[in-house]
Amino acid sequence: MQRWPVLLFLAWVCFLFFAGIGLFMSGFLLTRIELANSSSCSDPLVPPPWDEQSLPPGSCWLPRRFPKAVLVIIDALRFEFARFNPAKVSPLPYENKLGFLHRLASSQPRHARLYRFRADPPTATMQRIKGLTTGSLPTFIDVGSNFATYAIQEDNLLAQLGQNGRRVVFMGDDTWEGLFPNKFFRSYFFPSFNVKDLHTVDNGILQHLYPTMDSGEWDLLIAHFLGVDHCGHKHGPDHPEMAKKLTQMNEMLRSLVEHLGNDTLLLVAGDHGMTETGDHGGDSEKEVNAALFVYSKTPLFDTDPPEEPEAIPQVNLVPTVALLLGVPIPYSNIGEVMAELFSGDGDAASAALQQLSVYHVNAKQVDRFLRSYSQVAQDLPVEQLQRLQELFSSAVEEHTQLLAQVQGAMLTPPEMEPRLRSLISRFQLYLREARAVCTQSWARFHPLRMVGGCALIAASCLLCYVASELAAVSDSFYRSCLLYPLLWGLVVAVLLGLACTFTQEGLDLLLLSSCAAAASQLGFFWHWWGRHPKRARSMGSQPPLASVGPRQRLRAWLVLAFPMGILLFRCGAMFSDSFVVAEARVAPFLLASLVTLLVGKLHWDGRLIVPEGPKQQLLGFSSYRKESWFLLCLVAALLVCVRLSGFFHQCREEIPQCRPSVFLAPLASLRNTRAKNLFYLLCVALLAGMVYAVRSWLRHYGNLNSSDPLVLFVRWGFPLVVLCIACYWAVASSAEDSLGKLQELVQVAVVAFPWAVYGLTSVGLLLLLCHPMTVFAKDTRESAGSIVTPYQGVPSSEVDFLHVIPQIYRRMQESQKNRLEQGSCRATVAAYGLGSVYSAALVIALTLLGFLLMLLHSERLSLAFLLLFLEAFVLLHIHTRARSLAGDTESFSVPWFAVISWLLAASQFFYSTGHQPIFPAIHWNAAFVGFHLDHSTNLLPAVLVGANTFASHILFAVGCPLLLLWPFVCEMPSSQKKKPKKEPQEELQEVEEHMMEMRLRESPEKFSAALLQLGLKYLFVLGTQLLACVCAAMILRRHLMVWKVFAPKFLFESLGFVVSSICLLLGISLVMRVDCAVSTWFSQLQLR
């Protein structure tokens, strides 16, 4: 077998796709340009009637109103959590728990007020912190770095406070440490990533909060509590733990107000909300609807609060706090001040004048930013910028005229107030339209890169299809078609690198790799066109279509039309946001449709019935073959699996009537102890049943007979892994019920058992890599030489006589002349498990990966994984039976329907393991399976969360070679079948024909080409789906739902492609590793 050329060819094709994905992403997910400018007190933005000399000490641009402020951020504080409804008789666990805020607002209406705090998506913590400190809008791509934060270089509120000599003290979420390194006068950071930990951060803050308040050594105190957010992730909002956590926050606020000074402003804010499942990251109403509570012991407002709390954008907090504390507004702010906080103690006219001054300086700051940004980025619409400039100029001019009239006592207060309110409205209009223009324009696209990436992916799909067809007619084309493309790509990369060096321009590695990929693609097509002209492509064993009848021609087209039609339908529907939202139901339907169409085509071709004869005329159904009934039973089993998999779904907020599956929640969330125990026993029993099924399959084919380390691990290691998983599930589901010293033991066990599973799985995979053979050789030779009989059964005396001895007899008869001439004696070696040696290795690998992936999911999702393995097993048998009934003679070629159905099943179980292509549906808990404290690096949690998210992609990609191997494994007839009596010679001939997977070794070149063709078909289908998502994102980039539906779908599809392609290479590499071991085994056998 040509191993390295095949792997190198597939790796090169994967690189082509990766380059296309990277190039498209660089054009589609560009971040906005961050300006390096910074505001200062000397900026000419001071509004009349103030000037720099007349401002009080410690004030910039405007007189400060408060010398100190306390900002309490309660992560994921949804507005409903803070609102108090006295009419609620039986409130939910998250309702009416912050009663102290309600009492403050009702008893002191001029001192306190509650707002709806509208967050800008994405609603991830890091992006919200950026918005709360810079006053700008984080872009969509920033969500990818939510747990790998980078220091904020843009001008921000903390930087302004530091530049003006203010002391900022922070305590809480350590995300701030990465965003603002060395920016705090004093800080107390606590690990934030472990969403299962509800108390470490909050208790750490409470330990330092009140002593710091009393010390007075601060000007801005920030306390970022995480318990509410983590409780939502772990239990959801409708849980008793949420009531406890909100009650704790209520008591904290009560004590905090007692320590609050008269000259201090208190702000209590949520950075985002949460869904009904406790997640966030998207833009649903419950995710963006947070709460803001403002309080001071001195009066803040000159009017009573409205009946319905006002909704304000989160970016409005930045200019408001900056001017209240007397520091400049950050340069890139686009927020609008909360003018009611600047009313003062005078009459209505003086309050309006004060608010007008605040709006004036806010508008001048935003106008300065827009001017600077448009000169650098030039992506803001010119027409809208001109309109904004006209609005700003007219408002400033009218403001100047009005102030002149006021100073000249030309207006009475009754005449002045309406004009002041009208001018305030004009400034508000300018600020809100400016923010809307930035929001729309900061989805910056690079059309050329997007088109280039799309073209690269499309060309890679075409290359996969062409190369897969070449692999069917030429066993060694890939060796000649690989050298030239690699040379072309290397030459282009070197030339571009030299050009960048000589021109002293920055080297863009992404652009360089994309150009090299495009050049190598051109090299492949050029070489293919030159080496395989039309006359060569028309040659082959198949007759031309013109020489066959229309019915046969139609049947030939339907072989490809049905699966490709399903694939193209799925890809075309990617352009519909409704389809993407409902894909969890559509993917199983397409899979069932494809299998049903396959059976219908076999029936139409007459492959399901026995040729008509006198005995077949009695009843219609009696003419069907036994294999046909077995195929129909398999299809029925597949439909049952598809139906059952729908019980493990996750919901999207676009489908309000949907309710998430109860199986997604961990057992610890169940309050009914009896139900928890029953589910636990069911999960463990089914897990043990899966191990029993795998071992029975291996034993049936003779792969558990040897005493090799891998076989011993399957016998004893598999049950031990199941035991560790069962123990972990037990302690994890009851961790919160344990008390005292038992709690400490449980905490140790929660870490120890997953590590035991990690260790055992790693040992099993290493054994599989080092010693992948599961063959037992029974040597009966008396001299040199070997006759190998690949029998796959349990060794016994009956087996020896019924199988091995007849073959020895036949072989010895055929070699009688050779023995007389060569003087050698030929005997036999009975090799148990040799006929399924490739499949056995893959089955063991998939079982080990299944253990690991089930560990990373909640306990009851193990039921979905068992369905996954069962459906994959059924699909393999459907594929084998359909090929057998269709009379397919191309045993080394996997049909398209098998590949497409395999990938549809992978997509189906992506949704049936509780996932959705949206960020709120990511199972972040997987990052802490086996880890009690925070991670020291982001790589390991990213791997664990990625493995959890793309579990189905991993399993189906690694198991893809089974599509080629399974028909050979199923060659051996069942010993239970009753067959008509045959002559001894015919029986021996039939036994000899069933070589199973050893038939692959009879044609090593065909075996290599078959693996390559299968890999290329798999990549073609994956690439076609990816291409559809890329085109949809590119064409619909201005669509209303692009960031809510199409962009997340593209990102998940891209990551899924990367994971699937890497695992496909690993699966094919494992088959080749087994083939290498088989070759070594044969060579050692010959030397005995």
Side-chain angles (χ1 to χ4, degrees), residues 10-75:
L10 290 174
W12 169 63
V13 173
C14 292
F15 164 74
L16 299 180
F17 279 106
F18 295 167
I21 293 172
L23 186 62
F24 182 84
M25 278 188 174
S26 67
F28 181 68
L29 298 176
L30 286 176
T31 58
R32 64 177 176 84
I33 295 176
E34 294 185 354
L35 301 182
N37 307 54
S38 179
S39 299
S40 67
C41 287
S42 59
D43 293 339
L45 299 180
V46 181
W50 303 102
D51 54 43
E52 295 185 17
Q53 287 74 26
S54 61
L55 288 174
S59 299
C60 287
W61 296 4
L62 283 173
R64 72 178 184 185
R65 189 169 184 188
F66 293 97
K68 292 177 180 289
V70 177
L71 174 59
V72 177
I73 299 177
I74 301 178
D75 209 292

Side-chain angles (χ1 to χ4, degrees), residues 41-261:
C41 287
S42 59
D43 293 339
L45 299 180
V46 181
W50 303 102
D51 54 43
E52 295 185 17
Q53 287 74 26
S54 61
L55 288 174
S59 299
C60 287
W61 296 4
L62 283 173
R64 72 178 184 185
R65 189 169 184 188
F66 293 97
K68 292 177 180 289
V70 177
L71 174 59
V72 177
I73 299 177
I74 301 178
D75 209 292
L77 182 66
R78 205 168 80 190
F79 178 76
E80 289 79 8
F81 296 179
R83 191 169 195 175
F84 192 90
N85 185 1
K88 281 266 185 178
V89 179
S90 302
L92 296 173
Y94 60 82
E95 293 179 329
N96 292 358
K97 296 300 181 293
L98 298 180
F100 180 68
L101 300 183
H102 173 71
R103 284 191 289 274
L104 279 179
S106 57
S107 62
Q108 305 179 53
R110 299 295 178 96
H111 296 251
R113 188 160 296 180
L114 179 66
Y115 296 89
R116 292 183 183 271
F117 209 31
R118 302 286 295 183
D120 295 294
T123 51
T125 296
M126 191 197 74
Q127 283 67 39
R128 293 298 85 237
I129 293 174
K130 286 184 176 181
L132 288 170
T133 55
T134 64
S136 188
L137 301 179
T139 50
F140 181 83
I141 190 60
D142 284 340
V143 79
S145 57
N146 189 42
F147 298 104
T149 57
Y150 302 99
I152 294 179
Q153 304 298 329
E154 210 170 14
D155 193 17
N156 58 81
L157 183 60
L158 272 64
Q160 287 297 330
L161 289 166
Q163 291 172 10
N164 290 276
R166 308 297 177 86
R167 299 162 298 179
V168 181
V169 175
F170 177 83
M171 52 189 70
D173 184 355
D174 62 353
T175 304
W176 292 72
E177 184 179 15
L179 293 173
F180 304 100
N182 305 318
K183 296 292 185 182
F184 299 106
F185 176 75
R186 187 179 296 114
S187 56
Y188 306 95
F189 298 114
F190 302 97
S192 61
F193 191 51
N194 188 358
V195 293
K196 294 183 178 180
D197 184 358
L198 308 185
H199 307 295
T200 298
V201 177
D202 293 1
N203 292 342
I205 295 174
L206 293 176
Q207 182 181 356
H208 300 281
L209 179 60
Y210 307 121
T212 303
M213 288 276 295
D214 297 336
S215 70
E217 297 180 353
W218 53 274
D219 296 297
L220 176 62
L221 174 61
I222 304 175
H224 190 158
F225 291 86
L226 284 178
V228 172
D229 178 70
H230 287 190
C231 185
H233 284 298
K234 187 176 182 181
H235 302 290
D238 191 9
H239 193 276
E241 285 295 326
M242 182 62 76
K244 296 179 184 177
K245 183 53 63 176
L246 289 173
T247 302
Q248 182 189 26
M249 294 296 99
N250 189 64
E251 295 303 317
M252 177 272 297
L253 292 172
R254 187 194 309 276
S255 302
L256 183 64
V257 169
E258 293 176 359
H259 291 78
L260 201 67

